[in-house]
Amino acid sequence: MSDCLFCKIRDGQIPARVVYRDEQCLAFEDINPQAPTHVLFIPNKHIATVNDITPEDREVVGQLFVAAAKLARERGHADNGYRVVMNTQRDAGQTVFHIHLHLLAGRSLHWPPG
């Protein structure tokens, strides 16, 4: 998508603090962090919302979680805990319509969120 912010980050047209990359996904620091660790994991393939995920996307969506768990371990959050969340549509807080998995860690996270 030519007007997608995250596609532009993926393609290097907009700078970001990239912390992880593989053949299926990219991760970068959130520009408005809500926790000491707040990283966004996006698939390289443009998928607008969770509603648009197809059975063929299982592997790439699963890779977002594998990559998030790997980074959480590397940053020392695996034992104390971390949160992963994916918002869907505006009422849930989705502001960029390219699915992205938030990894939040480094402080006590309360429930329910927002």
Side-chain angles (χ1 to χ4, degrees):
M1 297 219 84
S2 62
D3 61 340
C4 174
L5 174 69
F6 288 171
C7 287
K8 289 179 180 178
I9 290 172
R10 176 201 64 206
D11 296 342
Q13 297 171 354
I14 294 176
R17 290 184 44 209
V18 174
V19 296
Y20 180 86
R21 182 186 305 263
D22 66 29
E23 63 282 343
Q24 293 180 315
C25 70
L26 171 73
F28 50 90
E29 301 284 347
D30 193 294
I31 62 168
N32 184 26
Q34 302 299 304
T37 292
H38 189 169
V39 176
L40 304 179
F41 291 79
I42 67 166
N44 292 331
K45 174 185 177 183
H46 180 87
I47 304 169
T49 75
V50 170
N51 296 331
D52 300 303
I53 296 171
T54 67
E56 291 76 28
D57 298 320
R58 281 187 207 120
E59 186 176 337
V60 69
V61 173
Q63 182 58 23
L64 299 177
F65 286 88
V66 170
K70 180 179 190 291
L71 189 68
R73 279 190 306 276
E74 288 173 359
R75 292 195 175 184
H77 301 302
D79 290 338
N80 290 336
Y82 56 93
R83 181 171 293 158
V84 291
V85 67
M86 192 177 287
N87 301 322
T88 305
Q89 302 291 21
R90 292 191 198 288
D91 283 355
Q94 185 177 8
T95 58
V96 177
F97 287 84
H98 182 132
I99 63 168
H100 50 287
L101 184 69
H102 295 257
L103 168 63
L104 299 133
R107 69 169 174 83
S108 181
L109 300 168
H110 303 283
W111 195 259

